[in-house]
Amino acid sequence: MSRPIIPRRSVRKPVSMTVQCRTHSGLRDTGEIYDLSPEGCCIQITGMFFKVGGRIVLRPNGLEAFSGVVRWISGDFAGVEFDRPLYGPVVDHLALHNPFKGMPRGF
């Protein structure tokens, strides 16, 4: 049985931001956020394994941490839905100051 496709509530903005990631079990690694919206993001972490439905905490450099749930996985990439939406102007600010540098190979 397949899940219905639910359209995104917001357009994701392309970014390149370093992020610290921690799972509920305490595993930690550094990764990269490649797109961002108030409701979620796409991250790449090469040293950790995620599972759909798993809870994670993300902490971009210089920002407070925010938590979310892994909604999809493709190789080293994962889509995260935030527990609480980010404030729209904060997303705009982050996109402006962390411009997209291109997707890595494999996405």
Side-chain angles (χ1 to χ4, degrees):
M1 177 157 85
S2 63
R3 291 184 346 170
I5 296 175
I6 300 170
R8 289 192 171 133
R9 293 170 282 206
S10 303
V11 173
R12 289 195 176 190
K13 298 186 181 252
V15 297
S16 289
M17 296 173 53
T18 301
V19 65
Q20 296 294 316
C21 181
R22 180 174 41 93
T23 65
H24 257 336
S25 62
L27 297 174
R28 296 173 188 256
D29 200 2
T30 301
E32 189 87 8
I33 294 177
Y34 286 106
D35 66 33
L36 181 67
S37 77
E39 293 84 20
C41 68
C42 171
I43 62 172
Q44 180 187 31
I45 306 258
T46 57
M48 293 174 68
F49 295 99
F50 298 116
K51 65 178 181 177
V52 172
R55 302 210 39 81
I56 62 172
V57 176
L58 302 173
R59 185 165 191 262
N61 287 344
L63 298 175
E64 289 187 30
F66 42 89
S67 59
V69 176
V70 176
R71 294 297 181 199
W72 59 264
I73 299 168
S74 178
D76 293 338
F77 295 88
V80 178
E81 179 182 9
F82 302 142
D83 291 336
R84 288 188 310 256
L86 301 178
Y87 185 51
V90 170
V91 173
D92 294 339
H93 176 81
L94 292 172
L96 180 66
H97 293 284
N98 297 279
F100 182 68
K101 298 174 186 141
M103 289 301 278
R105 297 173 75 203
F107 188 77

